[in-house]
Every structure is written in structure tokens, then in C-alpha cells.
Amino acid sequence: MTIASPLDTLWYTRCPVPTASGLANSLGWLSETADDAGLRFGILQDADAELAGRHFDHGLPSLIREGGNVPALAARAEGAPTRLVGLTWIDESQAILVGPAASLDSPAELAGLRVGIPAWADDRARSFPRAMALHGFASALRLGGLGFADVVTVEVPADPNPQVRTASRSRATTWGVEALLRGDVDAIYVKGARAQEVAREHGLQVAVDLDATASKRLRVNNGTPRPITVHADLLESRPELVVAFLAQTLRAADWAAGNLDEVRDVLARETNSGAAGVEAAYGDTFHRDLHPTLDADRLELLDIQKQFLYTHGFLATDFDLASWVAPEPLAQARELLPSDRKVAS
């Protein structure tokens, strides 16, 4: 459902992960863009519950979203009139964990284990935890020459209606930890900074480190690659706003390349995690490559994710990825930046 409203506010929403747009927001540059256009600047995470829900269905004409690809792809498959204007790729820790007393020497030893898969949420877009776990386990099993027929899938509880509002956010959830600690399952999928903290807190063991795989195809998931999408109404009526937003995002990516400590401080706040969790999840080079692109390789990786989601029931229908792409705003944004930029986009 689209919420009709006059274009008096530029809305922005993001996931609590490393993004150049998130940095641009923290630095105050996105609100400057709205101010320059004579608009208010709103963040869905600070809005009421109805507006905050548009993070999942993109049903707000003046919204720009950078976040997980499961809701973005699901919304597009449901008919949301969005356009894809950028893609980022930031490897964040992805792993299969087992209990403190367990020890696996290779992915092949996942055979016969009970793997925890979060239950379906209220709709496809909000079922991103299930999608993440399924794709994470699919990649891990493939590394061991296995498939889902070689393990026992066990549904574990998940929030049926996850919220993105700041007022309702607590420390990020790692789905399945309780089931793993109780012995109801033998292995779970985790990702990100908070997952690193949870593993250390409970002495959980890494059975498969998906970040260690050379192939990006085996690291494709909800956040890799991560899309920037806009409502078609905004792109058609105020294309200069989209271009300015992307220019600030590119500017923030340039800034991040030389300010690792400051970037980590922002991430610690965004992820509700400590500095150690951020460092463990993202390493010490991620800040150099936050620039969005629409390169063919990233689009190919997103298409792999789209086909996986469609195959496993997370998309209402398939659609042509190329028709979703709007490359002009990002190209124009690059033209707005100084010609002597030290970091290539």
C-alpha cells in the first residue's frame, strides 16, 4: 500500500550496517540536501509505526532506501513502483555456528545435523531472517558438496512483525541462539557485528566461515549486494533530489576511506554493538569500498539472490532485473563531485 502525501519531506531509511548513505546521514549531509531543496528531512526509524513499516514495502513516494535486498526485491515483486539506483557490496561476517562443545572440521560435517531456520514472518519482506538463514546454509552446504536433503531443517521462532523504529529497537537479534543453546538445533546462521558478540558471549564455535570463501557467489545474501532504491514518483518528479542524495553518498564514501576510527564509531551506534563486534564483523579495510555502483558484476550477484528468493517462495513473482535499474542518477551524481577525488567510485 502506498501512502499518498505531498512532497514536503524527503524520507530516508537504512539498515544498521555499513553504508555510505548512513555515514552521510550521521554527518548531517543528507539533511543538508533536503534543506537545500526546501524540504524537511525524515528518517523512518524515528517515525511512527505506520510510516516505519514502509521500510519493508517502500510504499512512500518520497522515500529513498538503502538496506537489505530481501525486502527491496520482495516489494518490487509485489508491484511496488521502485527503481534501483545503486548497489553496494560490503562483506560482513557470515558464519554457521555450532554449540560450545561441538567441533566441525569441514562443511561436509554438516551432514545429518539439525539446522535452525527462522519461521516465516507476517509477509515475505519481513521474513528476511528466514531468507538469510536459508541462503547462508545453502552456501555452506554447497561448500561441503551437500544440499538441504543432507540435513534436517528445524524452524526456530522469529519475530512475525519486525520493527525498524528507533523507539522499539534493542540490541540486534541473532535468530536461533536460544534454540542452539537449548540443544533443539545443532547449527545456526549468523551475520554481522552483534553476531560476533553473541558467539563470544556464549562460547559458540564457528563451523563454517562464509567470509573465507573466495567466491562472491557463495557470499550472496540479504546484505550482499545491498540495493539503494527510490520510489518512481520521486525519481520522475524530483530527479535532482535523487542525484543530490547519491552525490552525498559518494562524498561520504570518499570521506570514510580516510577515517576508519570515525566510521567504526558510527557503526557501533548503528549496529547496537561494541567496538570489538564491529571490528570482528567488518575488519579493517571495509571503509575503503563503500561506494555504490551499478557494475555488471554486482547486478549479476543481485540476480543470483533474486532467483534464490523466487525459488524459495520469497517473491510473489519473478521480474526482469534490468528493467528495475535506473543508471542515470548515479552517473549524474559522479559528475557533481570534484574532479580531483582521491578515491575512485
Side-chain angles (χ1 to χ4, degrees):
M1 179 186 70
T2 297
I3 295 180
S5 62
L7 182 52
D8 55 12
T9 303
L10 178 64
W11 287 98
Y12 167 65
T13 185
R14 82 286 189 199
C15 293
V17 291
T19 63
S21 68
L23 293 173
N25 174 54
S26 294
L27 293 165
W29 297 348
L30 298 185
S31 60
E32 288 177 8
T33 295
D35 288 343
D36 291 345
L39 301 174
R40 293 193 295 268
F41 182 64
I43 299 173
L44 285 193
Q45 282 73 14
D46 298 331
D48 61 38
E50 182 181 14
L51 278 178
R54 305 287 78 80
H55 176 88
F56 294 103
D57 63 19
H58 212 128
L60 189 62
S62 58
L63 177 65
I64 303 178
R65 179 189 188 276
E66 181 167 12
N69 59 49
V70 174
L73 289 164
R76 177 66 176 183
E78 295 277 1
T82 58
R83 300 302 301 276
L84 175 66
V85 296
L87 283 170
T88 57
W89 180 285
I90 303 299
D91 280 309
E92 52 185 339
S93 173
Q94 295 188 71
I96 305 302
L97 299 183
V98 294
S103 178
L104 274 70
D105 295 324
S106 73
E109 294 182 28
L110 290 170
L113 296 189
R114 299 165 299 162
V115 302
I117 304 295
W120 284 98
D122 287 346
D123 55 42
R124 292 181 175 93
R126 288 174 173 81
S127 297
F128 64 92
R130 182 181 182 88
M132 287 195 300
L134 278 171
H135 209 160
F137 271 112
S139 296
L141 290 168
R142 184 176 176 184
L143 284 169
L146 306 172
F148 280 109
D150 299 299
V151 294
V152 178
T153 59
V154 178
E155 281 202 351
V156 297
D159 187 346
N161 185 23
Q163 300 291 312
V164 298
R165 296 178 64 214
T166 300
S168 64
R169 281 170 57 189
S170 58
R171 290 172 75 86
T173 301
T174 303
W175 299 274
V177 169
E178 294 83 1
L180 179 59
L181 293 173
R182 287 195 305 267
D184 297 338
V185 299
D186 302 309
I188 59 172
Y189 165 85
V190 299
K191 69 98 178 175
R194 180 57 183 148
Q196 290 288 326
E197 289 188 335
V198 168
R200 285 197 304 273
E201 288 169 6
H202 298 289
L204 303 178
Q205 305 297 312
V206 174
V208 182
D209 180 1
L210 290 169
D211 286 344
T213 62
S215 172
K216 279 191 171 183
R217 287 173 171 259
L218 293 177
R219 304 199 302 275
V220 168
N221 211 298
N222 181 47
T224 43
R226 183 174 289 110
I228 304 174
T229 54
V230 302
H231 199 284
D233 288 356
L234 180 64
L235 187 57
E236 292 169 6
S237 64
R238 297 293 299 272
E240 78 281 1
L241 278 176
V242 179
V243 172
F245 175 96
L246 291 170
Q248 296 287 34
T249 296
L250 291 169
R251 177 187 171 200
D254 286 349
W255 172 86
N259 293 277
L260 175 58
D261 290 341
E262 291 89 340
V263 172
R264 281 178 169 163
D265 288 343
V266 173
L267 274 184
R269 296 192 298 270
E270 286 277 278
T271 60
N272 295 300
S273 300
V278 170
E279 184 172 357
Y282 302 109
D284 57 8
T285 61
F286 73 95
H287 64 299
R288 300 173 186 167
D289 192 25
L290 294 174
H291 301 81
T293 76
L294 286 169
D295 292 346
D297 58 340
R298 286 188 182 173
L299 288 169
E300 180 183 0
L301 292 165
L302 183 63
D303 197 49
I304 290 171
Q305 172 74 337
K306 179 176 72 75
Q307 293 306 318
F308 180 90
L309 295 176
Y310 179 64
T311 298
H312 290 271
F314 293 94
L315 304 185
T317 186
D318 198 2
F319 63 91
D320 177 51
L321 189 65
S323 67
W324 194 29
V325 179
E328 297 84 5
L330 187 57
Q332 293 169 19
R334 290 195 181 107
E335 294 299 317
L336 294 180
L337 297 176
S339 59
D340 61 348
R341 292 169 65 206
K342 295 180 180 180
V343 180
S345 62

